[in-house]
């Protein structure tokens, strides 16, 4: 597998010490919201990058996974939009640093999403092993090259900022792959001594490289086919709302009025707000009965995910609190199956969700 963007940081058009890399005005004018924080799919970032650097065709060469992506789909469907393994990155302070920061952060996510989609195509076990083992080899090869060549990198302030971010995101992508698909590895998962000591030839940092995020659990459950989750009484559970509760209540009230979001004979907007914002949902929490179409609710969920750390079809099923218009429990597969980018009253829904 070709790690084209990552390799370009040290050998190609994106070298931070190149004369045209430090271009504050260019990046300040071109850092779009979709490049920084894609909302629907991680490919929004990649499309924005292509627009920004349309004069650098070498950045967008095939990476070797295209043949797998052409294979038939299976029932497994999910868009990875967030890191699966926790990382610590220095915050950017200039427009150029912001470009490299979000480039590397989103590229690692895009690669994990790309591998996930390939592994879950209708292909054989041998092909899946090939994908995973090639990812591991490519990441380790790149880390070794950085370790071997790092003394020759032209030292600038931007180089000092970018190279650690590159290393962290390569290791993150490697660990995400190892943790999601351990059955396809040819050797033991990598550790800090191997990655930093042997390959990078650097001191071993006092950091965790294996700590997973809530998104990892969601993706891993999808891979494992966890459909029979039982919501036990003392299990802490939260959708992780990160926004403004007043805006959330206003948005849900507008959706309820305009698209009949809830069955008001059974559920109030206040009850839905309490469920979505609770820090610790337990048995006895209000049941949420919908009155809109499942395609509409699936669309609303996909649009609202960005305001939560743990709100998606899998966690909605796990909560055992949501019921469709027909009165049946809402299952993850049902929400994914009814995913539609153009549901009934899409324009109204979009207008309302913009206030959140």
């Amino acid at each position: 597998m070709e790690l084209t963007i990552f390799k370009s940081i040290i050998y190609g058009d994106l070298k931070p010490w190149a004369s045209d890399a430090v271009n504050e005005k260019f990046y300040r004018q071109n850092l779009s919201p979709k490049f920084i924080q894609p909302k629907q799919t991680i490919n929004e970032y990649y499309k924005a990058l292509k627009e920004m650097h349309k004069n650098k065709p070498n950045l967008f060469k095939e990476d070797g996974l295209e043949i797998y992506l052409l294979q038939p789909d299976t029932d497994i469907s999910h868009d990875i939009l967030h890191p699966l393994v926790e990382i610590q990155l220095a915050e950017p302070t200039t427009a150029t640093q912001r470009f490299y920061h979000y480039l590397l952060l989103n590229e690692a996510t895009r690669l994990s999403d790309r591998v996930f989609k390939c592994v879950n195509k209708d292909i054989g076990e041998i092909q899946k092993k090939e994908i995973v083992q090639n990812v591991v080899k490519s990441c380790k090869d790149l880390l070794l090259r950085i370790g071997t060549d790092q003394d020759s990198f032209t030292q600038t302030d931007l180089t000092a900022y970018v190279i650690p971010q590159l290393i962290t995101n390569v290791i993150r992508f490697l660990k995400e792959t190892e943790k999601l698909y351990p059955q396809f590895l040819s050797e033991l998962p990598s550790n800090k001594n191997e990655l930093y000591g042997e390959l990078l030839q650097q001191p071993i940092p006092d950091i965790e490289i294996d700590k997973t995020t809530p998104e990892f659990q969601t993706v891993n459950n999808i891979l494992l086919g966890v459909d029979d989750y039982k919501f036990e009484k003392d299990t802490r559970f939260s959708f992780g709302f990160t926004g403004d509760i007043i805006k959330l209540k206003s948005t849900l009230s507008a959706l309820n009025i305009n698209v009949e979001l809830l069955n008001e004979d059974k559920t109030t907007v206040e009850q839905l707000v309490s469920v979505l914002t609770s820090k610790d949902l337990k048995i006895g929490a209000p049941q949420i009965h919908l009155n809109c179409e499942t395609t509409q609710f699936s669309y609303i969920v996909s649009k609202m995910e960005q305001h939560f750390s743990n709100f998606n079809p899998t966690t909605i099923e796990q909560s055992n609190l949501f019921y469709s218009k027909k009165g049946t429990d809402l299952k993850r597969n049902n929400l994914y199956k009814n995913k539609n980018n153009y549901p009934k009253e899409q324009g109204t829904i979009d207008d309302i969700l913009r206030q959140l």
Side-chain angles (χ1 to χ4, degrees):
M1 180 181 179
E2 286 297 321
L3 306 176
T4 307
I5 300 291
F6 288 162
K7 285 184 178 178
S8 186
I9 299 290
I10 53 175
Y11 299 114
D13 292 335
L14 295 175
K15 290 193 295 288
W17 55 85
S19 59
D20 61 345
V22 186
N23 193 337
E24 289 290 307
K25 182 179 179 181
F26 173 80
Y27 290 122
R28 191 176 298 111
Q29 293 175 340
N30 286 280
L31 286 171
S32 69
K34 288 187 176 181
F35 177 82
I36 291 172
Q37 189 176 27
K39 305 294 187 188
Q40 298 302 309
T41 75
I42 194 63
N43 285 322
E44 291 175 10
Y45 131 78
Y46 200 57
K47 183 178 179 181
L49 177 64
K50 286 182 177 180
E51 287 298 312
M52 195 186 309
H53 286 291
K54 59 182 68 175
N55 61 335
K56 297 184 186 295
N58 287 335
L59 289 181
F60 310 108
K61 290 183 175 179
E62 293 185 351
D63 58 19
L65 295 179
E66 291 76 14
I67 188 171
Y68 299 107
L69 291 169
L70 293 173
Q71 303 310 307
D73 291 330
T74 63
D75 291 337
I76 296 179
S77 174
H78 182 72
D79 289 315
I80 296 176
L81 259 176
H82 308 287
L84 308 181
V85 169
E86 288 189 7
I87 55 174
Q88 297 176 353
L89 295 171
E91 289 297 320
T93 58
T94 68
T96 305
Q97 286 184 0
R98 275 165 61 82
F99 165 71
Y100 279 100
H101 174 84
Y102 289 109
L103 168 76
L104 292 166
L105 183 69
N106 287 329
E107 179 63 12
T109 302
R110 188 184 76 90
L111 291 173
S112 273
D113 180 69
R114 200 163 166 80
V115 170
F116 177 83
K117 286 180 168 55
C118 288
V119 169
N120 288 293
K121 289 289 185 176
D122 187 12
I123 58 177
E125 295 292 295
I126 292 176
Q127 292 169 300
K128 294 179 182 183
K129 288 180 182 178
E130 182 179 59
I131 293 169
V132 171
Q133 291 176 19
N134 280 340
V135 168
V136 173
K137 182 179 185 303
S138 295
C139 289
K140 290 185 177 181
D141 285 350
L142 182 56
L143 293 174
L144 178 60
R145 291 177 71 178
I146 293 172
T148 302
D149 297 342
Q150 58 192 330
D151 290 340
S152 66
F153 298 160
T154 303
Q155 296 305 308
T156 67
D157 289 344
L158 188 59
T159 303
Y161 177 82
V162 170
I163 298 303
Q165 300 239 344
L166 170 63
I167 289 170
T168 298
N169 280 290
V170 172
I171 290 175
R172 175 196 138 199
F173 174 46
L174 169 61
K175 295 307 299 182
E176 288 178 350
T177 303
E178 290 181 337
K179 294 185 79 66
L180 277 180
Y181 319 107
Q183 70 274 33
F184 299 135
L185 298 177
S186 61
E187 53 192 29
L188 291 174
S190 52
N191 56 47
K192 288 194 297 184
N193 288 339
E194 176 190 6
L195 301 180
Y196 285 94
E198 297 174 23
L199 300 179
L200 289 166
Q201 302 171 47
Q202 295 180 3
I204 313 300
D206 184 20
I207 59 172
E208 284 193 61
I209 62 171
D210 287 288
K211 188 175 181 181
T212 57
T213 65
E215 175 74 356
F216 172 83
Q217 195 59 55
T218 297
V219 176
N220 199 43
N221 282 348
I222 291 171
L223 288 173
L224 296 175
V226 177
D227 293 324
D228 56 350
Y229 181 89
K230 300 303 179 187
F231 193 33
E232 301 198 3
K233 183 175 180 179
D234 294 324
T235 300
R236 288 186 63 85
F237 185 93
S238 170
F239 291 116
F241 181 61
T242 58
D244 184 316
I245 294 179
I246 294 174
K247 287 184 179 180
L248 176 65
K249 183 176 179 180
S250 173
T251 299
L252 295 175
S253 295
L255 288 171
N256 197 38
I257 292 169
N258 289 276
V259 299
E260 298 183 341
L261 177 65
L262 300 172
N263 179 341
E264 293 185 281
D265 292 333
K266 297 181 178 180
T267 303
T268 65
V269 170
E270 289 74 16
Q271 287 174 324
L272 177 56
V273 171
S274 72
V275 165
L276 294 181
T277 60
S278 172
K279 302 291 186 186
D280 185 14
L281 282 170
K282 297 181 183 296
I283 286 179
Q287 293 182 346
I288 306 303
H289 292 267
L290 303 177
N291 201 47
C292 64
E293 295 180 358
T294 303
T295 51
Q296 291 176 305
F297 185 65
S298 180
Y299 182 78
I300 290 168
V301 170
S302 70
K303 289 287 187 177
M304 290 178 63
E305 276 187 78
Q306 61 184 295
H307 302 288
F308 297 79
S309 63
N310 195 36
F311 184 57
N312 51 60
T314 298
T315 54
I316 286 170
E317 176 183 339
Q318 289 173 352
S319 74
N320 290 326
L321 294 176
F322 287 79
Y323 294 83
S324 72
K325 185 175 183 178
K326 296 179 179 178
T328 58
D329 322 15
L330 268 183
K331 300 293 187 183
R332 169 178 61 84
N333 288 341
N334 192 245
L335 285 170
Y336 281 125
K337 189 165 42 176
N338 282 280
K339 190 173 182 180
N340 186 333
N341 291 328
Y342 305 99
K344 185 189 296 184
E345 299 177 280
Q346 179 211 349
T348 299
I349 293 171
D350 286 345
D351 289 341
I352 292 171
L353 290 177
R354 287 191 186 99
Q355 69 180 285
L356 185 57

